[in-house]
Amino acid sequence: MKLIYAIAVILAVGAVGYAFWPTTEPIVQSGPTSSSGDTALAEVILPDTFSDNARIGRLAYEAKCASCHGINAVGQDGVAPPLVHKIYEPSHHGDESFQRAAALGVQGHHWPFGNMPPVDGITRGDAAMIIAYIRELQRANGIN
């Protein structure tokens, strides 16, 4: 009887997880990205699929980064730059630069948006997953 109960619980948890699994999104994200009327600064083509780490990173990005950098890292006019941009290619801004920006903030130097403050409540592990998401978006858009 305990075995049947355990299997039922596992199936129920699996069904709930499946119900909340992210669905696919449109291939291109551009145009207005917030209710305040700000517009995207980049057109971003989404990859057909994301790795497991990038899917986790996408959730963290949406919770901690999208309010400034826009959905799918398109940037927001007057708010923050797009992260899917050749300025942020790995050879110019390596993964550690993203880690440091999240942990310590960063002085504005490429764009006229001002300084970026540190991101509260983000761990190095969270940032690593967010970086995986951003890098996969970049590769899908020809930024290597």
Side-chain angles (χ1 to χ4, degrees):
M1 190 64 175
K2 288 182 182 181
L3 178 61
I4 293 172
Y5 178 71
I7 292 172
V9 168
I10 291 169
L11 290 174
V13 168
V16 170
Y18 180 78
F20 287 102
W21 193 259
T23 58
T24 58
E25 292 190 17
I27 296 300
V28 176
Q29 170 70 41
S30 63
T33 59
S34 75
S35 60
S36 65
D38 296 326
T39 57
L41 297 174
E43 187 173 282
V44 173
I45 298 169
L46 299 179
D48 291 333
T49 61
F50 286 104
S51 68
D52 290 342
N53 285 349
R55 282 196 297 271
I56 293 166
R58 183 182 196 175
L59 295 173
Y61 174 90
E62 289 170 356
K64 295 290 188 175
C65 310
S67 62
C68 293
H69 290 285
I71 300 297
N72 297 320
V74 298
Q76 292 191 78
D77 190 22
V79 181
L83 299 175
V84 179
H85 190 280
K86 70 179 194 167
I87 286 177
Y88 298 106
E89 67 186 351
S91 64
H92 189 248
H93 282 88
D95 292 357
E96 187 59 26
S97 68
F98 282 96
Q99 285 280 1
R100 293 179 59 78
L104 305 171
V106 66
Q107 296 274 333
H109 55 284
H110 290 298
W111 305 90
F113 298 108
N115 300 333
M116 178 183 140
V119 181
D120 289 334
I122 195 166
T123 67
R124 282 191 66 83
D126 296 333
M129 297 297 127
I130 292 168
I131 293 164
Y133 169 63
I134 291 168
R135 295 301 189 207
E136 288 184 27
L137 285 174
Q138 290 174 335
R139 282 192 296 276
N141 288 273
I143 300 167
N144 296 313

